[in-house]
């Protein structure tokens, strides 16, 4: 089993009275580890236990009172945080064994980053501003709506249109979720453990975001045969990844 994540980071400034706590948390974390938190981090042995004891002492609170976050810093030195737990609004969406197609509409190909972790594993993520993601969701929705208006009800029941309708409806749910956050924040798509089930020889060429926007461009042009072809390839690819992840079949270099 593997997990992918959509992670929202909001400006530290918006956290009001809690800003003091998070400032202390960030300062201590960076001094302790020499850098920001990351969803790619791995704790070894008793590292996390020792860290929490030191953090508890630094903050002057019991370990059970500690709240955790991921945090990042932009090029201007401004901090953004993603709460690890929140009773108000979840900052992280998880999906097991594959990445839903509508997640790819949130990003553009140039926002992709491929890198190797300190353990030597390949990882993929995309990062963009929340306001850009909302604009893209709106654009994708308008493109699909436009083509739906051109066809009769009977035609809209075909497998192709049912799949497009699913992407559209789920994208609207994403829009509602993202609209609850500060628009100047960041959104990150982390492929997470999914990367373990993508062939290592082809991982650098994994560009589902680009493929989804190519499909939307074909829709906009009314080239539905091309739409069907691109969508079929994307679905087959992610069904194969999902099958491997669900069965625990890892891709490894021999």
């Amino acid at each position: 089993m593997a997990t992918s994540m959509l992670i929202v980071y909001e400006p530290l400034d918006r956290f009001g009275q809690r800003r003091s706590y998070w400032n202390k948390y960030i300062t201590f974390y960076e001094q302790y580890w020499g850098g920001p938190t990351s969803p790619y981090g791995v704790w070894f042995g008793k590292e996390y236990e020792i860290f929490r004891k030191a953090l508890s002492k630094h903050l002057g609170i019991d370990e059970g009172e500690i709240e955790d976050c991921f945090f990042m810093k932009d090029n201007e030195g401004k901090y953004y945080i993603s709460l690890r737990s929140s009773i108000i609004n979840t900052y992280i969406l998880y999906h097991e064994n594959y990445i839903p197609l509508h997640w790819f509409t949130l990003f553009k190909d140039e926002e992709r980053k491929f890198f190797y972790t300190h353990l030597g594993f390949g990882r993929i993520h995309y990062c963009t501003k929340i306001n850009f993601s909302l604009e893209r969701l709106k654009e994708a929705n308008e493109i699909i709506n436009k083509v739906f208006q051109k066809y009769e009800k009977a035609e809209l029941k075909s497998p192709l249109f049912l799949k497009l309708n699913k992407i559209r409806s789920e994208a609207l749910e994403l829009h509602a979720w993202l609209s609850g956050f500060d628009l100047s924040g960041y959104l990150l798509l982390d492929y997470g453990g999914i990367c373990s089930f993508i062939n290592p020889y082809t991982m650098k060429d994994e560009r589902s975001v680009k493929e989804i926007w190519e499909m939307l461009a074909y829709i906009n042009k009314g080239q539905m045969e091309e739409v069907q072809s691109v969508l079929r390839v994307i679905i087959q690819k992610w069904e194969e990844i999902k099958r491997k992840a669900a069965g625990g079949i890892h891709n490894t270099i021999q």
Side-chain angles (χ1 to χ4, degrees):
M1 184 177 293
T3 304
S4 57
M5 295 181 287
L6 273 181
I7 308 174
V8 166
Y9 290 84
E10 291 190 293
L12 181 59
D13 295 344
R14 80 171 299 274
F15 287 88
Q17 295 180 347
R18 296 298 292 161
R19 181 182 175 186
S20 176
Y21 171 87
W22 292 117
N23 266 322
K24 292 177 183 177
Y25 181 100
I26 288 170
T27 299
F28 180 80
Y29 195 105
E30 289 195 313
Q31 291 175 346
Y32 193 95
W33 292 111
T37 58
S38 168
Y40 316 114
V42 177
W43 300 93
F44 295 99
K46 294 186 176 181
E47 281 184 341
Y48 185 61
E49 179 183 337
I50 295 171
F51 166 72
R52 283 183 66 84
K53 287 181 178 179
L55 178 60
S56 171
K57 183 178 179 180
H58 175 76
L59 296 175
I61 61 176
D62 293 334
E63 287 185 50
E65 298 178 82
I66 293 175
E67 296 178 57
D68 289 302
C69 74
F70 292 134
F71 65 88
M72 61 182 288
K73 184 166 59 174
D74 67 13
N75 294 331
E76 299 176 355
K78 185 176 180 179
Y79 285 96
Y80 298 79
I81 69 173
S82 177
L83 303 186
R84 299 287 296 277
S85 62
S86 174
I87 61 174
I88 301 173
N89 190 5
T90 178
Y91 281 71
I92 306 175
L93 295 183
Y94 299 91
H95 212 285
E96 292 183 352
N97 297 334
Y98 73 105
I99 299 175
L101 297 187
H102 61 287
W103 283 16
F104 297 121
T105 64
L106 296 161
F107 304 92
K108 286 298 178 73
D109 185 61
E110 58 268 23
E111 294 162 345
R112 179 184 185 274
K113 182 180 180 182
F114 175 83
F115 60 99
Y116 290 98
T117 68
H118 65 286
L119 295 176
F121 298 112
R123 294 293 286 264
I124 299 171
H125 83 211
Y126 290 80
C127 188
T128 193
K129 300 288 283 189
I130 291 176
N131 62 319
F132 293 160
S133 285
L134 288 170
E135 290 170 3
R136 290 161 187 167
L137 286 172
K138 181 180 178 182
E139 180 182 356
N141 185 59
E142 289 176 349
I143 289 173
I144 297 176
N145 279 342
K146 184 178 178 181
V147 76
F148 267 62
Q149 294 169 5
K150 294 181 179 180
Y151 290 83
E152 300 294 331
K153 287 185 178 181
E155 295 174 296
L156 298 180
K157 293 180 181 179
S158 69
L160 172 61
F161 281 102
L162 290 176
K163 290 168 185 171
L164 291 177
N165 188 52
K166 187 173 187 292
I167 293 174
R168 176 176 61 172
S169 61
E170 291 176 334
L172 287 173
E173 293 176 4
L174 267 185
H175 193 283
W177 173 63
L178 276 177
S179 297
F181 296 102
D182 190 300
L183 300 186
S184 66
Y186 284 88
L187 180 67
L188 185 144
L189 167 58
D190 176 17
Y191 273 48
I194 300 294
C195 289
S196 299
F197 302 95
I198 300 175
N199 191 303
Y201 293 109
T202 62
M203 194 184 303
K204 288 185 178 180
D205 297 321
E206 177 5 59
R207 283 189 145 78
S208 292
V209 166
K210 181 180 180 181
E211 292 162 2
I212 282 291
W213 281 100
E214 286 175 349
M215 181 197 75
L216 289 168
Y218 283 130
I219 293 175
N220 214 19
K221 297 174 184 176
Q223 299 175 243
M224 300 311 291
E225 288 187 8
E226 287 80 359
V227 171
Q228 188 160 352
S229 177
V230 173
L231 188 57
R232 183 186 302 114
V233 170
I234 297 173
I235 290 174
Q236 287 177 346
K237 173 174 64 177
W238 282 100
E239 283 183 346
E240 176 68 9
I241 292 171
K242 182 179 179 181
R243 183 188 66 80
K244 289 179 179 178
I249 306 171
H250 289 260
N251 283 303
T252 57
I253 299 177
Q254 302 298 323

